[in-house]
Amino acid sequence: MSIKLGPNRYGKAETRVVRVTKNGAKHDLRDLNVSVALSGDMEAVHYTGDNGTVLPTDTQKNTVFSFAKQYGISSPEDFGLKLARHFVDSQPTIHHARVELEEYTWERNVVGLNSHPHSFVKSNRETRTAVVHYDGRKAWVVSGLKDMTVLNSTGSEFHGFIKDRYTTLRETRDRVLATEVNAQWRHTSDSVEWDKSYEVVKRCLLQAFADTHSLSLQQTLYEMGERVLETVSDIVEVKLALPNKHHFEVDLSHFGQVNDNEVFWAADRPYGLIEGTVVREVPAAGPAWD
């Protein structure tokens, strides 16, 4: 039986880079967490420790900072594409680059009627994400967001489900539906107005969640993915993970009170986890999600 090296990659994880763009008195801010992973001719370093084909992870970190200065950061996707193409095209032993990015949002500090041009407040919004792949010929871009918490206080039901001797859950025609949206969407193009596209997709996700009279969180998931695909032509897949953030109606009868779906306790675990992908067409070959 022969033993050999299987798939592998290496890189610098979680380089935190903050880029301030100064336009006179007005400043703009982009705050990214960047992880790079490279693969290629890496047999020698694994078999014998020969580092002749290895681009040091410290060099990868330095490249992130230098590119932030040289090119600025117009969007996570664009910045990731620049890095991925550089690592593959500049190094003959590197055949594939994967760049994963998270963006943390800052908003302008507004006090009264005054917006301060160089003062910011950390936003409690969702985290924007992107994963970029490049193999020397083609780039794949997967945009996304995570930790976007949404809630409908009515307009959700759950009934008609399987019941066995372990079932205690009661059917309901009116419940709170809350989830933390974790979404990724795959583009057919690597030339997109990334910030505009992101805002359109986010709006589609929020609108579909609000508009859907939900009989199940699965139904809501599909409506959210479908809304994105109907709206944005260059997106071919939307992958969603929706944890069900349960809100249980509190029994107030012991206190002589009627609770008409007004007082709830929010449980953080255990929770239902609903996952699914909504697809426009058969996915193209390539490392779309990984």
Side-chain angles (χ1 to χ4, degrees):
M1 179 178 67
S2 63
I3 299 174
K4 64 179 182 179
L5 178 68
N8 63 90
R9 60 190 180 197
Y10 79 104
K12 198 68 160 183
E14 301 200 23
T15 298
R16 187 69 177 269
V17 56
V18 177
R19 178 60 155 94
V20 178
T21 301
K22 300 179 180 180
N23 300 304
K26 183 181 178 181
H27 294 180
D28 294 306
L29 192 83
R30 304 300 290 246
D31 182 352
L32 299 183
N33 194 26
V34 182
S35 294
V36 176
L38 308 178
S39 58
D41 296 332
M42 298 298 152
E43 289 79 6
V45 67
H46 287 89
Y47 290 146
T48 68
D50 180 351
N51 291 305
T53 62
V54 175
L55 183 70
T57 64
D58 190 66
T59 303
Q60 298 172 37
K61 174 204 70 179
N62 293 340
T63 305
V64 171
F65 291 129
S66 181
F67 272 42
K69 169 60 179 176
Q70 181 176 356
Y71 299 110
I73 300 174
S74 63
S75 68
E77 292 88 348
D78 179 72
F79 192 62
L81 283 164
K82 283 183 169 63
L83 288 167
R85 289 186 170 120
H86 165 78
F87 289 126
V88 174
D89 292 342
S90 67
Q91 302 297 329
T93 61
I94 305 299
H95 302 162
H96 184 274
R98 177 187 188 273
V99 183
E100 182 176 10
L101 309 99
E102 295 182 346
E103 180 172 26
Y104 311 109
T105 305
W106 294 80
E107 298 174 345
R108 295 197 181 279
N109 186 2
V110 179
V111 180
L113 299 177
N114 298 316
S115 175
H116 294 267
H118 59 268
S119 183
F120 299 86
V121 179
K122 187 72 175 292
S123 172
N124 291 321
R125 291 167 46 190
E126 78 285 350
T127 299
R128 180 173 171 179
T129 66
V131 180
V132 176
H133 288 268
Y134 178 64
D135 65 1
R137 294 169 293 126
K138 183 179 179 181
W140 296 264
V141 180
V142 177
S143 301
L145 59 83
K146 64 179 183 177
D147 304 331
M148 183 172 73
T149 303
V150 292
L151 181 150
N152 288 339
S153 58
T154 191
S156 175
E157 308 178 29
F158 190 56
H159 49 81
F161 46 81
I162 293 173
K163 302 177 183 67
D164 66 13
R165 63 194 185 98
Y166 301 109
T167 302
T168 59
L169 185 69
R170 293 183 299 172
E171 294 190 347
T172 179
R173 306 281 172 166
D174 185 13
R175 66 170 180 169
V176 167
L177 182 66
T179 187
E180 190 174 82
V181 179
N182 301 284
Q184 292 179 291
W185 49 94
R186 186 165 69 86
H187 302 267
T188 58
S189 171
D190 60 8
S191 180
V192 174
E193 293 183 64
W194 300 110
D195 285 352
K196 180 179 178 181
S197 177
Y198 178 82
E199 291 301 327
V200 170
V201 172
K202 178 183 170 183
R203 184 171 66 249
C204 288
L205 295 171
L206 290 172
Q207 287 176 341
F209 180 82
D211 292 346
T212 302
H213 185 97
S214 180
L215 302 180
S216 66
L217 189 49
Q218 287 90 336
Q219 177 195 7
T220 300
L221 179 152
Y222 184 81
E223 293 285 346
M224 293 168 75
E226 183 181 50
R227 183 76 61 93
V228 172
L229 295 180
E230 288 176 342
T231 306
V232 187
S233 61
D234 87 298
I235 295 175
V236 293
E237 290 180 90
V238 182
K239 184 178 182 181
L240 289 152
L242 305 180
N244 200 331
K245 302 180 76 68
H246 298 294
H247 287 65
F248 295 106
E249 187 179 3
V250 179
D251 183 3
L252 300 177
S253 61
H254 303 291
F255 318 118
Q257 296 173 307
V258 176
N259 186 7
D260 185 20
N261 278 346
E262 296 172 311
V263 180
F264 303 87
W265 65 275
D268 65 343
R269 65 195 66 180
Y271 56 85
L273 179 59
I274 312 303
E275 299 176 293
T277 303
V278 184
V279 182
R280 185 193 304 280
E281 59 186 30
V282 176
W289 301 112
D290 182 21

